Amino acid sequence: MPEQPGAVNAVLRDGRQVTLRPARAADEPALAALDASLPDRDVYGHSVTAWADNDLIGAAAYQGLGSAHEAEVVVAVAGSWQACGVGTLLLEHLVSDARLRGIESFRAEVPSGDTKMLRVLADLGLAETPTAHAAGPRGNADVGVLAGSCHRDGFVTVDLSLRYGDRYLDAVAERESHAEPSSDADRAAW
């Protein structure tokens, strides 16, 4: 993909490279195709996109809630790119953008069976903020119950504070350190 204003190149966990950039009107056909390829639960509006070559592989967005400081966040990643770090990269970019706009917390409504996304949110390194509802005893044994989560109607609600500190910065640095060696090995093989 050619250089574009606002575009950032990033390396995934497995060393593959992607380009993140704000969504544009010209992206509508690719966004529609991504939406059509996803289960209904994953379709939502978009503000940051991830591309591999000329293929849209993921998108994420946040939308303000009742307060000017809270937003709902959603992430959609094409099936073959899930568990590679695309969702995490998209979230990291949304966190940075949201903080610049005064957003202090994200809320995610995740289907309780979506263990991949629950793991992404748990591993992001952001502190979970308490919700108005107490977390119930139900939870996924592989992921556990996030501290700021509650369960209802087959969904887990996760509230994440965007006032990040050392835990978040350490998690970002850790992810980058794992991606860099894989990328170097891939480049050496070329």
Side-chain angles (χ1 to χ4, degrees), residues 25-132:
D27 297 335
E28 285 298 322
L31 289 168
L34 177 63
D35 282 350
S37 75
L38 297 171
D40 288 341
R41 65 176 170 78
D42 291 340
V43 178
Y44 201 82
H46 307 281
S47 67
V48 177
T49 57
W51 299 79
D53 298 316
N54 289 320
D55 296 325
L56 178 65
I57 61 168
Y62 65 87
Q63 176 177 315
L65 292 170
S67 162
H69 303 288
E70 296 177 294
E72 180 179 17
V73 64
V74 295
V75 178
V77 177
S80 63
W81 288 89
Q82 291 180 4
C84 296
V86 175
T88 301
L89 281 171
L90 289 167
L91 282 168
E92 287 175 358
H93 283 268
L94 285 182
V95 166
S96 295
D97 181 76
R99 284 177 46 90
L100 290 173
R101 297 174 192 267
I103 303 292
E104 296 175 0
S105 66
F106 276 162
R107 171 169 286 170
E109 297 280 336
V110 182
S112 58
D114 190 349
T115 58
K116 289 179 185 177
M117 184 50 65
L118 290 171
R119 174 58 58 202
V120 167
L121 293 171
D123 290 348
L124 196 56
L126 295 171
E128 294 88 13
T129 59
T131 61

Side-chain angles (χ1 to χ4, degrees), residues 11-15 84-89 91-92 95 119-126 167-182:
V11 180
L12 299 176
R13 254 183 248 135
D14 64 4
C84 296
V86 175
T88 301
L89 281 171
L91 282 168
E92 287 175 358
V95 166
R119 174 58 58 202
V120 167
L121 293 171
D123 290 348
L124 196 56
L126 295 171
R167 182 171 177 251
Y168 176 76
L169 297 174
D170 289 346
V172 170
E174 176 75 13
R175 287 188 287 272
E176 288 176 354
S177 73
H178 286 297
E180 298 278 334
S182 297

